[in-house]
Amino acid sequence: MNRSSLNATQLFTYENRLLGEFHGRKSSPTVIVIAGIHGNEKAGVHAVKNVLKKIKRDKVVFDGNLFFILGNINALNKGIRFEQIDLNRIWRNKNMEDLINFKEEPKQEVKEQLNIYELIKEILEKENGPFYFLDLHTTSASSVPFITISDSLNNRKFSSNFPIPVVLGIEEYLDGPLLTFINEYGHIAMGFEGGSHQDPTSIANCEAFIWKTLVRSKCVQKSQVKDFDKYKLILADLCCKYQFFAINYRYLIENGEKFEMKLGFKNFEPIEKGQLLAISNGEEIRAKETGRIFMPLYQDLGEDGFFILHKISKFWLKASIVARKLKINQFLRLIPGVRQERGNNFTLIVNPKIARFMTKEIFHLFGYRQQIYKDDKFHFIKRDRKVTELL
Ligand SMILES: [Zn+2]
């Protein structure tokens, strides 16, 4: 990181972005909690403050390290999702170098991004892994808490510690979320959606998630957390216990479209094919398939109307572990129409005209997720990585 970028980020100092840091007896693992990357989602920030109070009050002793990082400070202060661009849609590797060497006055969120980037880089350099990243969010629709992850085996394994639904591969539909960026350096990274923006139980859910992560990652011993069983109960018996889901369908809202979701849908609520879901420009939108409704849009900002999920079978989950461990993916690039991107071991470029029989699911099985569609070709990126240093 050169000096010129530091000038532009003076506005936010580490003092106010770093809400707390704790160092333990063993110096590993390191847990990094990010709260408020969306400024209208304050439950995570309140939860962090409650956890900080409890750590001090109960004099919790740490084995590893813990850092609490604030996301979009400017948007949090203003109570808005973001000022100019969504801070959770601008984390792309190819952009980072440009950002670091920027010439023009950067957008508000880019200043925050650089500041967060510098802080994370410093932590990764100074502390010992394994590193666990948590990103706390809330949703506009009423929802049971759930986890979102990039589909790497280390992410999957760690998220199975929590008796709540896990949604895989959402990064195929979101461009540039922070956690996908982190994941590409091989670290465990989980998004946690604690419930709806306004619901006070969302705060309790985020707190429980932080404590459970600290214990399951062995950053803190269970005996250090008074009433740990209370947190266990908060995240239990809600819905879809230990189930993994994939996105089957996305309703994308066009520019200028008047989209209105039918009121009352809850996340993960089962829906039937043909069921009325929304009204768009006066026309009915009905479910194209049976499944579960996911992220129905009940706020003004956003381009995704809703998603439809399906449950991933235990068989698929196991088969994909075997396929990845045997490293059969080496053979994928030998198939006509599939080639490896030059100088990049993690990206396969697929020409759908030639590799016509290859479905997305085959790439998913081997741990590849489609990231972009460029020049009539799909770019699939490998999610399982060894740990490497940040740019
Ligand atoms: Zn969010």
Side-chain angles (χ1 to χ4, degrees), residues 21-128:
E21 79 179 279
F22 300 89
H23 298 272
R25 305 176 287 198
K26 293 183 184 164
S27 79
S28 97
T30 301
V31 175
I32 300 162
V33 181
I34 299 143
I37 200 163
H38 289 135
N40 62 329
E41 301 174 9
K42 292 207 169 131
V45 182
H46 292 306
V48 164
K49 287 183 177 161
N50 291 347
V51 172
L52 278 170
K53 257 189 236 158
K54 191 180 162 84
I55 290 173
K56 283 174 192 156
R57 192 194 62 204
D58 297 349
K59 300 190 176 63
V60 173
V61 175
F62 282 75
D63 282 344
N65 312 302
L66 170 65
F67 294 85
F68 288 118
I69 299 178
L70 267 187
N72 197 335
I73 295 176
N74 169 62
L76 279 163
N77 287 337
K78 293 180 176 161
I80 52 175
R81 193 169 174 82
F82 55 82
E83 175 102 53
Q84 289 172 298
I85 37 171
D86 190 330
L87 182 53
N88 203 27
R89 298 287 182 275
I90 51 178
W91 295 85
R92 287 172 216 102
N93 251 322
K94 57 180 167 30
N95 291 2
M96 284 315 291
E97 265 179 81
D98 297 348
L99 284 175
I100 290 165
N101 303 310
F102 63 77
K103 300 204 169 57
E104 295 160 32
E105 176 64 15
K107 289 198 166 90
Q108 182 61 38
E109 271 74 21
V110 173
K111 293 181 199 168
E112 307 244 8
Q113 179 187 20
L114 278 167
N115 198 209
I116 294 169
Y117 173 83
E118 288 172 342
L119 182 49
I120 289 176
K121 192 175 159 70
E122 198 180 299
I123 295 170
L124 288 172
E125 281 167 2
K126 265 197 199 154
E127 308 301 343
N128 291 326

Side-chain angles (χ1 to χ4, degrees), residues 28 60 62 89 92 106 132 137 141 167 176 200 240 259 269 289-290 325 329 357 365 387:
S28 97
V60 173
F62 282 75
R89 298 287 182 275
R92 287 172 216 102
Y132 296 82
H137 290 260
V167 179
C240 322
F259 176 87
E269 188 176 320
E289 52 197 272
T290 296
K325 289 204 169 151
N329 59 313
F357 64 97
L365 191 70
V387 171

Side-chain angles (χ1 to χ4, degrees), residues 298-360:
Y298 290 123
Q299 64 191 10
D300 295 336
L301 285 174
E303 55 177 13
D304 302 312
F306 58 86
F307 296 91
I308 298 177
L309 297 177
H310 76 273
K311 194 181 141 188
I312 303 175
S313 69
K314 290 243 159 39
F315 174 77
W316 191 92
L317 287 169
K318 281 196 183 131
S320 64
I321 293 173
V322 174
R324 291 180 205 186
K325 289 204 169 151
L326 290 176
K327 299 203 163 54
I328 308 171
N329 59 313
Q330 307 285 5
F331 298 102
L332 283 174
R333 60 189 169 164
L334 302 177
I335 294 164
V338 179
R339 67 180 169 88
Q340 191 173 307
E341 189 177 43
R342 210 173 292 160
N344 183 348
N345 284 335
F346 301 113
T347 304
L348 292 176
I349 300 176
V350 180
N351 184 340
K353 283 183 203 134
I354 301 172
R356 211 167 286 170
F357 64 97
M358 301 285 288
T359 61
K360 256 190 181 187

Side-chain angles (χ1 to χ4, degrees), residues 157-355:
K157 194 173 170 199
F158 193 71
S159 51
S160 341
N161 280 307
F162 304 86
I164 53 175
V166 177
V167 179
L168 294 183
I170 198 168
E171 77 265 29
E172 284 189 333
Y173 300 91
L174 306 179
D175 192 13
L178 168 64
L179 288 189
T180 304
F181 175 80
I182 296 289
N183 213 209
E184 287 183 1
Y185 293 92
H187 306 297
I188 291 170
M190 298 187 294
F192 179 71
E193 300 277 354
S196 74
H197 301 328
Q198 317 302 345
D199 187 349
T201 54
S202 304
I203 300 174
N205 292 338
C206 287
E207 278 179 67
F209 187 66
I210 295 171
W211 284 116
K212 276 204 82 169
T213 301
L214 289 174
V215 170
R216 294 287 172 243
S217 67
K218 299 194 166 65
C219 186
V220 169
Q221 282 172 28
K222 198 168 137 185
S223 58
Q224 287 293 319
V225 189
K226 278 186 201 156
D227 55 21
F228 182 71
D229 286 343
K230 179 185 92 184
Y231 298 116
K232 249 165 80 181
L233 286 176
I234 287 177
L235 293 184
D237 292 328
L238 290 162
C239 136
C240 322
K241 220 173 176 177
Y242 297 114
Q243 287 176 15
F244 283 76
F245 291 90
I247 294 171
N248 256 16
Y249 176 84
R250 168 208 213 181
Y251 184 89
L252 190 66
I253 301 171
E254 305 280 335
N255 245 345
E257 175 180 340
K258 200 173 171 293
F259 176 87
E260 219 175 298
M261 192 76 208
K262 262 198 79 194
L263 289 176
F265 280 113
K266 286 189 185 132
N267 247 344
F268 298 97
E269 188 176 320
I271 53 162
E272 295 288 332
K273 188 176 176 180
Q275 188 175 339
L276 179 64
L277 301 178
I279 304 288
S280 160
N281 295 334
E283 305 268 334
E284 291 183 341
I285 307 286
R286 291 182 178 274
K288 289 224 170 9
E289 52 197 272
T290 296
R292 286 173 189 262
I293 196 96
F294 182 57
M295 304 289 260
L297 187 73
Y298 290 123
Q299 64 191 10
D300 295 336
L301 285 174
E303 55 177 13
D304 302 312
F306 58 86
F307 296 91
I308 298 177
L309 297 177
H310 76 273
K311 194 181 141 188
I312 303 175
S313 69
K314 290 243 159 39
F315 174 77
W316 191 92
L317 287 169
K318 281 196 183 131
S320 64
I321 293 173
V322 174
R324 291 180 205 186
K325 289 204 169 151
L326 290 176
K327 299 203 163 54
I328 308 171
N329 59 313
Q330 307 285 5
F331 298 102
L332 283 174
R333 60 189 169 164
L334 302 177
I335 294 164
V338 179
R339 67 180 169 88
Q340 191 173 307
E341 189 177 43
R342 210 173 292 160
N344 183 348
N345 284 335
F346 301 113
T347 304
L348 292 176
I349 300 176
V350 180
N351 184 340
K353 283 183 203 134
I354 301 172

